Amino acid sequence: MARYNPKEAEPRQRARWAEAGVFRTRTPEEAGGKPKYYVLEMFPYPSGRIHVGHARNYVMGDVVARYKRAQGFNVLHPLGWDAFGLPAENAAIERGVHPAKWTYENIDTMREQLKLLGLSIDWEREFATCDPEYYGKQQAWFLELYRRGLVYQREAVVNWDPVDNTVLANEQVVDGLGWRSGAVVEKRKLTQWFLRITAYADRLLEGLQTLDRWPDKVRLMQENWIGKSQGARLEFKFADGPLAAHDQGVEVYTTRPDTLYGASFIAISPDHPLAEQVARASAEAAAFIEECRRGGTSEAEIEAGEKLGFFTGLEVLHPFDGRRLPVWIANFVLMEYGTGAIFGCPAHDQRDIEFARKYGLPVTPVVLPPGEDPATFDVADEAYVGPGTIFHSDFLDGLGVEDAKAAAIARLEAEGRGKGTTVYRLRDWGVSRQRYWGCPIPIVHCARCGPVGVPEDQLPVKLPEDVDFSRPGNPLLHHPTWRHVNCPGCGGPGERETDTLDTFVDSFWYFARFADPTAEEPISRAAADYWLAVDQYIGGVEHAVLHLLYARFVTRALKDAGKLSVEEPFAGLFTQGMVVHETFRRPDGRWLEPGEVEARGGQWVESATGQAVELGGVEKMSKSKKNVVAPESVIESHGVDSARLFVLSDSPPERDVQWTSAGLEGAWRFVHRVWSEFEGQPEGAFEHDASDEAALALRRATHKTIKAVTDGLDSFRFNTSIARLYEFMNALKAAPAQGASSAVLAARVEALEALAKLVAPFTPHLAEEAWTRLGREGMLAELPWPAYDRTLAADDEKVLPVQINGKRRAEIRAPAGAGAQAVESIALADEGVTRHLEGLTVRKVIVVPDRIVNIVAG
RNA sequence: GCGGACGUGGCGGAACUGGUAGACGCAGCGGACUUAAAAUCCGCUUCCCGAAAGGGAGUGUGGGUUCGAGUCCCACCGUCCGCACCA
């Protein structure tokens, strides 16, 4: 018997699909009345080559796309390239290759690799974000948001990466280190461009409620990220001095206005304007602020969490009782949140009590926990943050915490000293980057007109190609001519903005561009109205906040600008797990590739030397640990269908899967078993016969499998769908074949047709080969999904376990749907049951129809 | 510290809304085929006692609810993820 030969079959099937153009997206007109379905995987960064870890993401999308197409949807399944970014520039610096050349060559390589996976992608819609055609459209909508006040410029303290020579967003700083370079991040003040996402904080929060096909985890992460909190702003006036004479004060934000009478100090951020003012007069204060800025973000320091303060010598007055409170500069107060100033209530805030104990400030409890005696209750080193009754607080005495908050706010508002407000943790995103390989910000700076947007007819603002990477810093700034242009406003001398957009911006809208990647406007309204929202978006959970939140923001902003109709870009989201793999390390610390080691006598050794190697742990595939597996090598040995099947079968899709050659072998065995099952099919017409038991059993297995696989695909449980297919194969092999009755042969043909169609989303090449082998015309890629017969998918007889006092003692057979009475009599008559009931009295019989019988006896 | 998820055989993992725990795969063991090996095919495989029939235990630990708990409730232990001095 011939072996299945994927090396020969797989390219043949891909050629058939390409020739027939089955994966070209159909226009709404061509699609007739078919409903649309948009499947999208987060697009790749063209870093060089793909490995099987990348492949899992695209294979999952492909399974969905093929399944939905078979179900009669008009499917859009495109792919593009997130092509701007630092690695291209680093390659330019290190190897002297132009970023564009490096990027497009990588794209060519990776496109060919991806095509080997047999993905049902419409390659006609492919684009790269570094195509001027794409980023020019991005500049157009960027200017639209600028006109609408959602893009603005301001001076800001930024995170400066001294190795990559660029600004990083807070989100790109991990434990005080640059997320790419790993360098210690410094603070610098620069004029930056920002996206005003904070204007949409509330709408983004509310919108989460509508995303019922998103993982709860991701919605929760976004909710926390937006960080809405209710509280009050209020002002503490200076007690004396020149500031008091000008009726000045310190504005603070609090979520606990109920504890105002417990206030014992005011703390301001080292970055607060008042702190800077104090520092101008006091070298000591200046030194303290300097110390705060230097320290800060490293994990160890925050863990230690030492509270540091500096008394400014200033005092303010309590708004209600007029007490004098000292103003301190404190290292734990953040300028970016609230007003950059707080009032300290040590008894009811843990940070405040640590601060108060350290500097000897008073501690006055004002919230009495339930059951405590007001005369004796006190706080030691642990603040009380629970519920209780307000005391020591004049007009608030006796109120609960929530009522006291409302009463305090009401009085502040009545006296014009403050007001209730909502504060968000979410901050605007700084999008300026001092790099070459990114989308130029389409602004010209003019001494007379200020920043002016480049007129639409002059877009795109293209990157110059002749750039010099031999100097550190931004090549656009060093370019001899590029930035010198006339002001579009007054015609006078102007200068281009030399910052480029953070590459995250490129991915904020690409899904909308796919609706019509050649449209004149950035987003074709008609095409987007048809295709958006994305029905199923698939990608890694690492994008749970940044990319997914900003894409939601930009979608809303563009909707408000009349460019789109949808509010939410991604109706369904699935966050898939990675492919992890064992790592191997020599005693000298050098990592070894999987191909360089082998198991000998239960011990891993380096093949070349026979030297023992250590296992370095199962980790995400990465070049640095050399545990990547190239798709080509797998395709060469087992074919791509085996690889697709394995990465989907061995773990649930949302969890990581460990790549093992044994697992791949298992998948390959299945591929081969399926193929050989289609060998030598009997010719002729056969008829179903319900009285033929063997035939009926096979038909039941077929229809049950169709149902189970369909349900699994609908709920993203690919691993269980595949398990059911394995089971079905076992049943099929066990069923009679040679010399069987006409009814069995009819059931067999039905089973094989279903099998070919059911495996098609997972192992599409194999499925087409099988279909042809069965003597069928056409391609499965164009054929409908199989339907199941409800009656055949359900059993007509059930096997029910019988428990006696909760222990399983026997099994009985009963017709499906039999009533409790009938089942009870069958059970009580069963010999296996009566044997265990000897000497006992039946007290109670519980029958769950079609499920279980439990007899309580004693 | 705050928020969340999860603990099931040697391993990856199944188990619908509380109803036969361990589907399916991997590894392992036994057998067939073969001069032999690979490949393939068939069988066994949670643990303990037993030749078997059968019995007992069992889903991180301890309690609880229930005729019945992997699933629900309480407490604890452990692992992973997110945020992190957010007032």
Side-chain angles (χ1 to χ4, degrees), chain A residues 267-332:
Chain A
I268 62 174
S269 165
D271 297 317
H272 196 281
L274 179 63
E276 288 173 6
Q277 198 178 321
V278 170
R280 276 196 288 278
S282 155
E284 228 180 316
F288 176 76
I289 291 169
E290 188 51 39
E291 191 190 334
C292 292
R293 285 196 181 145
R294 234 191 354 261
T297 47
S298 93
E299 201 172 4
E301 280 168 289
I302 289 175
E303 207 63 52
E306 200 192 352
K307 306 288 178 281
L308 297 174
F310 179 88
F311 178 47
T312 60
L314 300 167
E315 289 186 318
V316 293
L317 300 174
H318 192 285
F320 292 155
D321 62 18
R323 272 182 298 139
R324 295 172 77 98
L325 302 173
V327 178
W328 288 68
I329 301 170
N331 67 339
F332 63 91

Side-chain angles (χ1 to χ4, degrees), chain A residues 618-634:
Chain A
V618 177
E619 302 212 34
K620 175 184 178 178
M621 287 193 176
S622 74
K623 279 187 212 161
S624 61
K625 298 218 168 146
K626 295 207 178 166
N627 64 339
V628 296
V629 173
E632 291 87 345
S633 68
V634 176

Side-chain angles (χ1 to χ4, degrees), chain A residues 61-292:
Chain A
D62 193 52
V63 168
V64 174
R66 286 176 180 272
Y67 170 59
K68 290 295 175 182
R69 189 175 283 115
Q71 278 197 320
F73 287 91
N74 183 33
V75 169
L76 172 60
H77 186 212
L79 193 96
W81 308 92
D82 188 13
F84 274 133
L86 275 180
E89 222 164 313
N90 291 339
I93 293 163
E94 286 158 23
R95 280 173 266 159
V97 53
H98 193 277
K101 183 168 152 48
W102 183 88
T103 302
Y104 283 108
E105 282 179 3
N106 284 348
I107 287 174
D108 287 342
T109 306
M110 290 172 67
R111 186 194 303 109
E112 291 318 303
Q113 287 186 297
L114 285 172
K115 283 188 173 178
L116 292 176
L117 300 179
L119 305 176
S120 61
I121 281 170
D122 178 2
W123 289 101
E124 288 176 26
R125 298 200 175 213
E126 174 190 356
F127 59 76
T129 56
C130 63
D131 298 340
E133 168 67 14
Y134 179 83
Y135 69 71
K137 309 297 182 196
Q138 184 164 309
Q139 291 166 339
W141 69 250
F142 182 85
L143 289 171
E144 176 70 30
L145 297 197
Y146 182 47
R147 286 189 288 274
R148 301 178 69 83
L150 293 173
V151 167
Y152 66 97
Q153 218 182 355
R154 71 170 151 92
E155 192 172 69
V157 177
V158 297
N159 305 298
W160 179 261
D161 185 320
V163 168
D164 283 340
N165 278 316
T166 191
V167 166
L168 300 175
N170 286 332
E171 294 77 9
Q172 294 169 330
V173 180
V174 180
D175 297 336
L177 306 177
W179 72 328
R180 286 240 157 90
S181 70
V184 176
V185 170
E186 301 167 2
K187 299 249 186 243
R188 281 201 192 177
K189 258 191 175 174
L190 282 180
T191 301
Q192 300 282 298
W193 290 94
F194 283 83
L195 289 185
R196 203 184 299 278
I197 191 173
T198 50
Y200 283 74
D202 224 24
R203 281 172 65 186
L204 289 168
L205 190 62
E206 280 169 20
L208 289 174
Q209 304 299 320
T210 68
L211 297 175
D212 58 340
R213 290 203 297 119
W214 277 41
D216 291 341
K217 177 194 166 94
V218 174
R219 290 194 292 179
L220 186 68
M221 281 166 75
Q222 292 208 354
E223 192 182 317
N224 292 341
W225 194 265
I226 293 167
K228 184 175 184 170
S229 86
Q230 302 283 355
R233 282 168 184 266
L234 64 147
E235 195 174 42
F236 287 77
K237 300 282 191 195
F238 286 107
D240 38 38
L243 292 166
H246 288 89
D247 198 28
Q248 299 277 300
V250 180
E251 193 182 34
V252 305
Y253 172 73
T254 180
T255 55
R256 295 295 303 272
D258 55 309
T259 64
L260 251 172
Y261 281 93
S264 63
F265 64 94
I266 298 293
I268 62 174
S269 165
D271 297 317
H272 196 281
L274 179 63
E276 288 173 6
Q277 198 178 321
V278 170
R280 276 196 288 278
S282 155
E284 228 180 316
F288 176 76
I289 291 169
E290 188 51 39
E291 191 190 334
C292 292

Side-chain angles (χ1 to χ4, degrees), chain A residues 690-701:
Chain A
S691 66
D692 186 319
E693 281 192 28
L696 189 61
L698 183 53
R699 295 200 71 199
R700 285 197 192 286

Side-chain angles (χ1 to χ4, degrees), chain A residues 171 195 197 222 225 426-431 504 508 545-555:
Chain A
E171 294 77 9
L195 289 185
I197 191 173
Q222 292 208 354
W225 194 265
L426 182 69
R427 287 170 217 156
D428 288 337
W429 178 290
V431 291
F504 264 92
F508 291 167
V545 178
L546 309 184
H547 164 59
L548 289 168
L549 188 59
Y550 273 84
R552 294 181 60 222
F553 157 62
V554 168
T555 300

Side-chain angles (χ1 to χ4, degrees), chain A residues 296-428:
Chain A
T297 47
S298 93
E299 201 172 4
E301 280 168 289
I302 289 175
E303 207 63 52
E306 200 192 352
K307 306 288 178 281
L308 297 174
F310 179 88
F311 178 47
T312 60
L314 300 167
E315 289 186 318
V316 293
L317 300 174
H318 192 285
F320 292 155
D321 62 18
R323 272 182 298 139
R324 295 172 77 98
L325 302 173
V327 178
W328 288 68
I329 301 170
N331 67 339
F332 63 91
V333 181
L334 305 172
M335 191 58 219
E336 304 86 48
Y337 185 77
T339 61
I342 61 161
F343 77 79
C345 175
H348 305 293
D349 183 286
Q350 190 55 35
R351 287 161 314 193
D352 294 349
I353 197 154
E354 286 170 29
F355 192 79
R357 292 299 182 211
K358 176 155 184 176
Y359 294 103
L361 297 160
V363 177
T364 316
V366 291
V367 180
L368 186 67
E372 288 283 348
D373 181 348
T376 58
F377 176 68
D378 205 358
V379 184
D381 289 331
E382 194 86 359
Y384 178 72
V385 295
T389 312
I390 305 298
F391 69 135
H392 296 157
S393 297
D394 191 50
F395 74 102
L396 297 175
D397 282 354
L399 295 174
V401 165
E402 290 309 314
D403 290 343
K405 283 180 184 174
I409 290 171
R411 174 139 166 208
L412 287 169
E413 288 180 349
E415 294 179 359
R417 290 167 174 279
K419 61 187 290 218
T421 52
T422 303
V423 166
Y424 298 92
R425 206 195 75 119
L426 182 69
R427 287 170 217 156
D428 288 337

